[in-house]
Amino acid sequence: MIVTLKPGSDVAAAKSRLAGLGLWIDSVERSALGEVHLVVGRASTRVESATIEGLPEVLAVSQSGNNRPRMEAQGPRVEVRAGLAIDGAEPVLMAGPCSVESESQIHRIARKVRASGARLLRGGAFKPRTSPYDFQGYGKDAATWLRSAADAEGLAVVTEVMSEADVPLISNVADMLQVGSRNMQNFALLKAVGRAGRPVLLKRSMSATVDEWLHAGEYLLVHGASGVVFCERGIRGFDPSTRNLLDLGAVALIAKVFGMPVVVDPSHAAGRRDLVIPLAKAALAAGAAGLLIEVHDEPENAKSDGAQSVMPQALLGLGFVNEVQS
Ligand code: PEP
Ligand code: MN
């Protein structure tokens, strides 16, 4: 069990109170931010978390001893902005192109995804591409176009931040900062993104275990993120028939057993448009609190990921709206 203390509280007093309850401290750990964690090694009796949480020095308790108390304390709800939360009650649709390609493209697609029930507009301004010769994104200009297109439609913005240097820029335009798969364990980036104090969409690395993924979330929270939503986007399998292997077992585990917010990106999982809507439905059935879907109105001309981008009208198959809202 890990007991995290409130900042500035008296460690000796907390230890003696815990000893009074029959809990023996093995070690005292200090995080980089000065947070104090008491690691409880032995207990003379079973003590409910609520009793420990009631002690004046205690901020949070992790019963499982898995060393991610902040993630456990967060619970299933993350507020993206006022009036918009990802909490599992109503699934939240995040949709938009893989890359923001022009001001007119993002405005057109924003209008269409909003009409299909999206609440967040996605789109990459800075793109993590396997080849340095591929389109890298229009950067700052794209970020500005994305924000104005979202504002025009009353949508929130989620977009990827690839480097520590870009955290201020992306924090200015995005309601939710996306950490991409390739950066899930870029700890310097996680710390910088955390310090922005914003909600984060944390994509699973294509080779990360669930435990590594949850620990990456813990980094973000320890460094100040206001909330972490996990995004499963497919892991590396052995079979190239689909781009990645969508791990819905992990989604059900995180949503239903761990009680944490998790959404699914069926687009990068499938790599092909015809599988996106079926996988999206399966994700919601497994407990996903939302979906992140790549949408393009001219996918054959897309600068990235056209093959997996669905047409805007395909979103209607998910039933977020009964009919197109104009
Ligand atoms: C994306 O969502 O734009 C993206 C690059 O996805 P991933 O990091 O999952 O590959
Ligand atoms: Mn993409």
Side-chain angles (χ1 to χ4, degrees):
M1 182 196 304
I2 312 282
V3 179
T4 304
L5 301 186
K6 290 177 186 158
S9 53
D10 183 337
V11 178
K15 280 173 88 172
S16 82
R17 270 189 230 279
L18 291 165
L21 292 173
L23 301 173
W24 307 99
I25 308 304
D26 264 2
S27 63
V28 179
E29 315 281 346
R30 272 173 215 278
S31 76
L33 291 184
E35 207 165 59
V36 176
H37 303 293
L38 305 182
V39 182
V40 178
R42 282 169 299 123
S44 319
T45 176
R46 188 180 150 68
V47 184
E48 293 300 326
S49 297
T51 310
I52 305 167
E53 278 157 2
L55 299 179
E57 295 86 3
V58 172
L59 179 70
V61 178
S62 162
Q63 279 286 2
S64 54
N66 58 15
N67 217 0
R68 37 182 168 75
R70 293 303 193 96
M71 248 0 293
E72 287 191 18
Q74 173 186 269
R77 183 175 192 279
V78 168
E79 182 158 276
V80 176
R81 66 176 182 181
L84 177 59
I86 293 175
D87 59 7
E90 287 283 322
V92 172
L93 179 60
M94 315 177 201
C98 178
S99 304
V100 178
E101 299 170 357
S102 70
E103 191 166 14
S104 62
Q105 175 243 23
I106 193 66
H107 275 266
R108 271 193 335 264
I109 295 177
R111 193 162 56 76
K112 291 176 176 161
V113 301
R114 197 263 303 144
S116 297
R119 303 294 308 280
L120 287 96
L121 182 63
R122 65 144 286 141
F126 297 93
K127 294 303 304 175
R129 303 306 301 281
T130 300
S131 166
Y133 304 113
D134 287 341
F135 176 62
Q136 304 283 306
Y138 286 126
K140 188 170 188 290
D141 287 345
T144 311
W145 302 331
L146 180 66
R147 181 74 257 174
S148 73
D151 286 344
E153 302 299 332
L155 295 167
V157 165
V158 57
T159 193
E160 178 164 353
V161 53
M162 279 176 52
S163 107
E164 290 163 66
D166 295 331
V167 172
L169 166 68
I170 298 295
S171 303
N172 260 333
V173 298
D175 299 282
M176 187 173 223
L177 281 59
Q178 178 173 326
V179 173
S181 291
R182 292 154 191 83
N183 276 315
M184 190 206 86
Q185 284 189 316
N186 177 343
F187 298 113
L189 180 65
L190 295 178
K191 290 175 188 178
V193 168
R195 285 194 293 270
R198 308 292 291 281
V200 181
L201 185 72
L202 178 61
K203 293 196 128 191
R204 182 182 186 178
S205 155
M206 52 204 87
S207 60
T209 64
V210 169
D211 191 59
E212 288 165 337
W213 191 16
L214 299 182
H215 272 93
E218 188 77 13
Y219 261 92
L220 289 163
L221 292 180
V222 164
H223 288 275
S226 63
V228 172
V229 174
F230 296 96
C231 180
E232 162 63 30
R233 44 77 76 204
I235 50 176
R236 280 267 159 90
F238 60 85
D239 185 348
S241 305
T242 55
R243 183 173 176 182
N244 288 293
L245 184 61
L246 185 61
D247 185 0
L248 290 181
V251 173
L253 183 70
I254 293 174
K256 309 232 185 239
V257 179
F258 299 156
M260 295 173 189
V262 55
V263 302
V264 167
D265 166 357
S267 308
H268 289 90
R272 45 187 288 168
R273 138 174 2 110
D274 54 356
L275 301 182
V276 168
I277 300 301
L279 288 180
K281 291 179 180 169
L284 294 177
L291 298 166
L292 181 76
I293 298 185
E294 287 187 337
V295 176
H296 205 293
D297 56 353
E298 293 174 355
E300 63 287 358
N301 296 325
K303 289 192 182 291
S304 57
D305 284 349
Q308 68 194 33
S309 299
V310 296
M311 298 289 282
Q313 54 270 31
L315 297 177
L316 292 172
L318 294 170
F320 280 86
V321 289
N322 293 329
E323 55 190 47
V324 176
Q325 320 275 301
S326 56

